[in-house]
Amino acid sequence: MPDSPLSLIQEGLPEPCPTPFNMADYVMRAGRRTPEKIALTVLEGRASVAETWRYSALERAILGVAGALTARGLQRGDRVALRLGNVSAFPILFFGTIAAGGIAVPTSAQLTEAEFHRLAGDMRPRFAAIADDLALDRVPAGVTTLPQSDWPGVMAHPQGDYVQIGPDDPAVLIYTSGTSGRPKGVLHAHRAAWARRMMWRDWYGLGSTDVMLHAGAFNWTYTLGTGLTDPWAAGAASLIHSAPADADIWPEAARAHGATLFAAVPGLYRRLLRSVRDLAADFDMLRHGLTAGERLAEPLLSGWQERTGKPLYEALGMSEISTFISSGPGVPTRPGRAGRPQRGRRVAVLAGDTPVPRGTPGDLAVSTSDPGFMLGYFGRPEETQATLRGDWFITEDRAEMDAEGYIAHLGRSDDVMTAQGYRVSPQEVEEAIAAHPAVAEVAVCEIRPRDDLTLIAAFIVPNGVWPGENTLDAHARQSLAAYKCPRLWQRVEALPRTQNGKLQRRRLVELLGPTGA
């Protein structure tokens, strides 16, 4: 349909999900055509091979897990918590749980025991697979543990079957930090894997001959989806590192193993560009890079393309629906824009529940009819309902759609700063400052020195010599209105990030120390 003058795009209709539909069965289906092809390579050290799994062995192990869990009493809808790192057992236990009709719950290997217990109290798991190095002093009540010593036997168990289940039945529970700091579970249906086909086409250009190198941890939805689920469902190959120590590992891995796609957060791409390596030679086999998790700044985009000669495609998404806006092989990148809604999506920029005119900022929203949309927040129907306006899910992102349907991400609604009575997007300020050659990384936030005063503070990781506050202030004023310019400049060694490289904006004020704001 032709583009509307309003900020609403219906990019065709998604392919209907078959029924019955088991996510694990679907993910393994393509590999049955090439059973001896290597599906997963786990790297260690300086990109050497720790493990390889062919599709035939991978599926046997997944069905072994399904058989073992069923024999031990797993019922449909039972939760299985995964507390382990980047080892092959993670996706095998994950998809084995789903194959048997259970709900897989990945958790971060960095959680303390107390944090894991808080999640367990919310999810109430039936089983918990726990690595030796993450053993618990106390097992949550009612939970049967699957210790690391059991995993080989579980995988070698007589194979179970893929449970015939509906596409709307629950399959995966992902915990997010939430704006309140209280983790909440995002519950996804089996159909979520099918919905990801819209990303194959309009973000990855994914095919069976691709080799996907992903720089994330298995527990992260970005890695589980882009690094494992999609390559396997397409019959491609996945490369994951067990415990990366530095950024140089990734170009070495790409060169040694012929990566054709590379997925990471913008922060890692920035680190790679600071190296003196011949990135063009390292990524010679790469078709393009993929990035998500935070906004892609134009200097980073152009720097990557200049150093490697390869495109870098951005996607915008969230745990509740995964990525739904992207650039890609058929959607050229546009500086300052995350891309267009993928074909099959219905996306709008709203004021209230009404699409705004093109070029007008508003609330980014996705149709609740999207097959990738969550079932809801686990055990929190009121919080689920609070995110909805009619048939729209409100993402809490601010955005603006141009005449051609490209989306500019203007920041999280709860991150928007106030300066001299004006609302200011932190991303806009950060991009302006990041253009200075002496700035390696920058993040800004609002601080409140006293109840009646708010200021913008900038936290700078210098690229070598500290340029000084006056230099940075003069640079900012060349492209920003005076009220948008930081009043406080703070030099820092590093920005606070999650284990997956995402900026933790709410922790920035801690960098000021006890005498700060």
Side-chain angles (χ1 to χ4, degrees):
M1 63 178 291
D3 283 347
S4 163
L6 297 178
S7 293
L8 184 151
I9 289 183
Q10 173 72 62
E11 286 283 21
L13 295 173
E15 300 174 64
C17 184
T19 187
F21 184 83
N22 185 298
M23 178 188 292
D25 180 30
Y26 162 72
V27 168
M28 287 289 101
R29 196 173 302 162
R32 292 176 201 142
R33 297 193 292 268
T34 55
E36 296 311 303
K37 180 176 179 177
I38 293 176
L40 173 65
T41 302
V42 180
L43 307 175
E44 64 180 0
R46 304 305 300 181
S48 60
V49 175
E51 297 180 77
T52 58
W53 285 80
R54 300 184 187 276
Y55 272 107
S56 55
L58 185 65
E59 184 166 38
R60 281 196 302 271
I62 286 171
L63 289 176
V65 170
L69 289 175
T70 300
R72 298 184 187 195
L74 180 79
Q75 302 293 315
R76 283 195 187 189
D78 283 347
R79 273 78 64 197
V80 178
L82 305 179
R83 181 172 166 81
L84 56 156
N86 274 28
V87 292
S88 60
F90 198 119
I92 291 170
L93 291 163
F94 177 84
F95 285 113
T97 297
I98 294 168
I103 299 174
V105 191
T107 69
S108 170
Q110 296 192 18
L111 293 182
T112 65
E113 178 163 344
E115 289 170 322
F116 180 81
H117 276 286
R118 282 196 289 273
L119 294 190
D122 187 79
M123 73 173 92
R124 303 181 304 282
R126 173 73 174 80
F127 295 92
I130 302 174
D132 289 345
D133 60 340
L134 297 169
L136 303 174
D137 292 332
R138 176 176 60 86
V139 176
V143 176
T144 299
T145 60
L146 299 172
Q148 189 168 339
S149 58
D150 278 5
W151 299 346
V154 166
M155 294 178 198
H157 190 278
Q159 295 178 36
D161 295 320
Y162 293 108
V163 169
Q164 296 296 297
I165 205 161
D168 291 323
D169 286 318
V172 181
L173 182 59
I174 300 287
Y175 275 88
T176 69
S177 59
T179 55
S180 67
R182 184 167 62 104
K184 57 184 176 182
V186 179
L187 187 62
H188 276 288
H190 285 258
R191 57 175 159 75
W194 178 263
R196 299 184 63 86
R197 296 164 73 93
M198 292 181 277
M199 302 175 213
W200 297 13
R201 182 176 53 200
D202 287 347
W203 185 21
Y204 314 153
L206 180 65
S208 62
T209 60
D210 277 312
V211 178
M212 172 73 79
L213 174 63
H214 202 292
F218 277 142
N219 69 280
W220 194 18
T221 52
Y222 185 14
T223 314
L224 280 171
T226 301
L228 297 169
T229 301
D230 295 334
W232 290 351
S238 294
L239 290 166
I240 304 288
H241 200 286
S242 60
D246 60 65
D248 276 350
I249 282 173
W250 305 113
E252 290 182 19
R255 183 193 286 248
H257 301 283
T260 61
L261 298 171
F262 176 51
V265 294
L268 180 54
Y269 284 103
R270 280 191 289 270
R271 290 168 59 195
L272 290 174
L273 291 180
R274 291 202 296 270
S275 76
V276 297
R277 296 183 64 94
D278 184 350
L279 296 181
D282 288 329
F283 290 100
D284 179 59
M285 296 294 292
L286 198 72
R287 292 195 290 111
H288 48 259
L290 305 166
T291 188
E294 61 184 81
R295 188 173 180 179
L296 175 64
E298 195 284 328
L300 177 56
L301 172 63
S302 59
W304 173 261
Q305 291 173 335
E306 290 169 7
R307 289 280 300 277
T308 66
K310 310 290 184 178
L312 181 58
Y313 297 130
E314 181 180 9
L316 178 63
M318 57 194 307
S319 298
E320 288 84 345
I321 196 167
S322 198
T323 62
F324 55 96
I325 290 166
S326 59
S327 55
V331 181
T333 57
R334 183 171 294 182
R337 303 277 162 172
R340 282 177 55 95
Q342 296 157 357
R343 285 171 288 175
R345 309 289 191 182
R346 186 168 184 259
V347 176
V349 179
L350 305 177
D353 56 4
T354 303
V356 299
R358 299 284 177 102
T360 304
D363 298 322
L364 185 62
V366 187
S367 172
T368 56
S369 65
D370 193 295
F373 182 54
M374 67 175 178
L375 292 170
Y377 297 118
F378 184 70
R380 302 182 188 187
E382 298 84 4
E383 291 189 38
T384 303
Q385 189 61 38
T387 67
L388 307 181
R389 293 182 199 161
D391 296 332
W392 294 107
F393 167 67
I394 307 303
T395 67
E396 295 189 356
D397 288 301
R398 298 285 293 173
E400 177 258 310
M401 184 185 294
D402 70 13
E404 296 179 34
Y406 277 80
I407 301 287
H409 182 231
L410 304 179
R412 298 286 290 169
S413 300
D414 47 10
D415 282 341
V416 173
M417 303 178 294
T418 301
Q420 299 180 31
Y422 295 96
R423 290 169 63 83
V424 180
S425 163
Q427 283 81 3
E428 179 187 9
V429 179
E430 288 164 356
E431 288 191 7
I433 296 169
H436 195 285
V439 174
E441 292 188 90
V442 55
V444 300
C445 72
E446 174 186 290
I447 61 172
R448 190 178 292 273
R450 59 177 192 262
D451 289 344
D452 62 345
L453 177 64
T454 58
L455 302 174
I456 295 176
F459 301 85
I460 307 293
V461 178
N463 186 17
V465 178
W466 171 245
E469 295 183 13
N470 292 339
T471 297
L472 291 169
D473 183 66
H475 167 73
R477 290 176 183 275
Q478 290 178 1
S479 53
L480 294 171
Y483 70 86
K484 297 180 182 179
C485 292
R487 295 295 189 270
L488 174 67
W489 299 87
Q490 181 77 23
R491 178 181 181 175
V492 294
E493 293 299 317
L495 298 177
R497 295 186 179 277
T498 68
Q499 63 168 328
N500 294 312
K502 294 181 69 173
L503 177 66
Q504 295 180 300
R505 196 179 299 280
R506 289 178 183 79
R507 288 187 53 205
L508 288 174
V509 71
E510 298 174 12
L511 302 180
L512 294 173
T515 59

